[in-house]
Every structure is written in C-alpha cells, then in structure tokens.
C-alpha cells in the first residue's frame, strides 16, 4: 500500500506563492501518474494538475494554467505543486493522489490519496 503525505500548505496573501510537496512511501510511485486535486468548503473535489510517470508530461486545469506548475522527483518519490499568483478562489484543501487507471481528470481514477494540506489565500 502506498502512503502519500502532503506538506507546504499555509496562509498567504493574494499574489503570493506556495510550494506543496507530496512524498510517497513506495518506489512504485516512480511508475505512477500523480495528480493534485483541491476541495473548497461546500464544493466538490476538483482536478488541479497531473504529471505522468515520466517527467515532462503535465496537464492543468484551465483555472490554474500559467500560474501553477507540477513537477516530480522520482529519486525522492516526491511530487510538487508550485503555486504562483495565488488568488482568493484558490483557497482549498489540496490533495495529491496516485493514478490507478482511467482519466487523470476524474478523481475516481485515483486509488491512493494523501490527507490533504490547507491553502488559504487572503484578499
């Protein structure tokens, strides 16, 4: 079983930056696609970004494109989410997850999830 542990969340003013990290417990991480999702209070969990197992193949939600960057370091079994130009609407709990099969856009395609890290952006 894979354990995913996120860190790096916090409170930041609008326009600021944060970098989230997600460390996986198993080497099988290196062969798994990894995604970031977020969930704001009263809203459904939504896709944010995805990286295939091979670094360089990345995809983003339109709402974060050109502001967020997903990357991975397989040697450290870690995936990152660099978030720049943060907005109040980015406030949410952010989760990393390991893709099992299916569409990377769909939360049901992921089998392992981290516990989440809170990101709060004040305007």
């Amino acid at each position: 079983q894979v354990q995913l542990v996120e860190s790096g969340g916090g409170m930041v003013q609008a326009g600021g930056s944060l970098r989230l990290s997600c460390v996986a417990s198993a080497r099988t991480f290196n062969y798994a696609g990894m995604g970031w999702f977020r969930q704001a209070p009263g809203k459904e969990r939504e896709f944010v970004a995805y990286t295939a197992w091979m670094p360089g193949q990345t995809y983003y939600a339109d709402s974060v494109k050109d502001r967020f960057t997903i990357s991975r370091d397989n040697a450290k079994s870690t995936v990152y989410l660099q978030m720049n130009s943060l907005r109040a609407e980015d406030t949410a709990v952010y989760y990393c997850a390991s893709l099992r099969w299916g569409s990377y856009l769909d939360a049901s395609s992921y089998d392992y999830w981290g516990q989440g890290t809170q990101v709060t952006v004040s305007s």
Side-chain angles (χ1 to χ4, degrees), residues 95-116:
Y95 300 89
C96 68
S98 174
L99 183 72
R100 181 184 177 191
W101 67 280
S103 170
Y104 63 81
L105 295 169
D106 189 350
S108 66
S109 300
Y110 295 77
D111 50 359
Y112 297 108
W113 292 80
Q115 82 288 352

Side-chain angles (χ1 to χ4, degrees), residues 25 36-37 56 66 79 85 93 97 102 104 115:
S25 62
W36 284 97
F37 285 74
D66 299 326
V79 62
S85 302
V93 177
Y104 63 81
Q115 82 288 352

Side-chain angles (χ1 to χ4, degrees), residues 1-78:
Q1 185 168 350
V2 177
Q3 287 188 322
L4 303 174
V5 179
E6 301 103 333
S7 62
M11 183 176 293
V12 65
Q13 290 188 333
S17 299
L18 285 172
R19 188 175 83 154
L20 307 183
S21 299
C22 172
V23 181
S25 62
R27 287 192 174 272
T28 52
F29 158 90
N30 294 352
Y31 305 101
M34 297 294 296
W36 284 97
F37 285 74
R38 65 187 181 186
Q39 188 166 19
K43 295 187 176 181
E44 292 189 353
R45 193 168 297 191
E46 66 172 358
F47 168 77
V48 175
Y50 172 81
T51 176
W53 72 270
M54 182 177 291
Q57 297 180 6
T58 58
Y59 306 92
Y60 299 91
D62 287 343
S63 59
V64 307
K65 200 173 294 183
D66 299 326
R67 298 189 299 123
F68 290 11
T69 302
I70 189 171
S71 62
R72 66 190 297 162
D73 183 340
N74 287 344
K76 297 181 179 179
S77 296
T78 301

